[in-house]
Amino acid sequence: MLNWILNAPRRTLALISLACFAMLGFALYLQHVVGLEPCPMCIVQRYALVLLAVLALLGSLRPSRAWWMGASVLAIAACGLGAFTAARQSWLQWFPPEIVTCGRDFYGLVERYPISRAIPMIFRGSGDCSAIDWTFLGGSIANWSFLWFVAFALVLVALLVRGLRRA
């Protein structure tokens, strides 16, 4: 199975992109059908997932080795952003702040404050970010998001290592 994944990097990137779009669809289902409101950290994770999906899709479209390897490097950076945000949110969920406050949404923060102040406020999280509204097999959305970002990053690193060895 691992050889099937690593021997066809463009196919693997396409599958990563497809998985990301499916996860985004599930996030939208949870928001619009189930009624869960995303917190600022959830929104940042969604943007990282969109960036990962687009980069993986772009990497899968051209047969050039340099093209898919460059897209993979950028996709790993997107995985890092998503994993960092999901890990921070998981930390807030495991160790909620003593004073729970309901912070502003992502767009409100960006519109009201300069970007240099808004970004730290987004990553600081709010009372909403520490709430666990949905679980699957004992893990929150942030926990599962972290695991998926790390899994995608590991596959992408394996693709790059395999690609560099064949050079």
Side-chain angles (χ1 to χ4, degrees):
M1 173 87 169
L2 188 60
N3 282 333
W4 183 81
I5 291 172
L6 296 178
N7 284 335
R10 292 178 55 215
R11 175 179 51 210
T12 303
L13 288 170
L15 289 174
I16 288 173
S17 181
L18 181 65
C20 289
F21 284 124
M23 290 169 61
L24 287 167
F26 184 67
L28 292 175
Y29 166 79
L30 287 176
Q31 180 179 353
H32 296 289
V33 177
V34 176
L36 300 179
E37 284 298 319
C39 69
M41 293 181 126
C42 295
I43 293 171
V44 171
Q45 291 170 57
R46 285 185 189 182
Y47 283 137
L49 200 58
V50 167
L51 183 61
L52 172 60
V54 168
L55 289 169
L57 181 65
L58 289 174
S60 71
L61 293 178
R62 295 195 54 196
S64 167
R65 197 177 106 191
W67 181 264
W68 68 259
M69 288 184 79
S72 295
V73 168
L74 294 173
I76 290 170
C79 287
L81 170 67
F84 172 79
T85 308
R88 178 69 180 138
Q89 184 176 4
S90 293
W91 178 265
L92 286 173
Q93 289 173 348
W94 291 329
F95 305 103
E98 291 180 23
I99 300 172
V100 178
T101 59
C102 187
R104 296 193 56 159
D105 67 338
F106 179 77
Y107 298 107
L109 286 173
V110 172
E111 288 173 2
R112 180 169 168 93
Y113 299 103
I115 197 75
S116 62
R117 284 192 59 205
I119 289 177
M121 292 169 81
I122 291 167
F123 285 106
R124 192 173 312 125
S126 67
D128 294 331
C129 291
S130 64
I132 300 174
D133 297 327
W134 181 89
T135 60
F136 179 71
L137 297 176
S140 69
I141 295 171
N143 302 145
W144 284 104
S145 179
F146 175 78
L147 291 176
W148 278 107
F149 278 119
V150 169
F152 290 144
L154 289 175
V155 169
L156 290 167
V157 167
L159 280 178
L160 287 174
V161 168
R162 185 87 177 235
L164 290 173
R165 284 187 181 166
R166 290 188 174 185

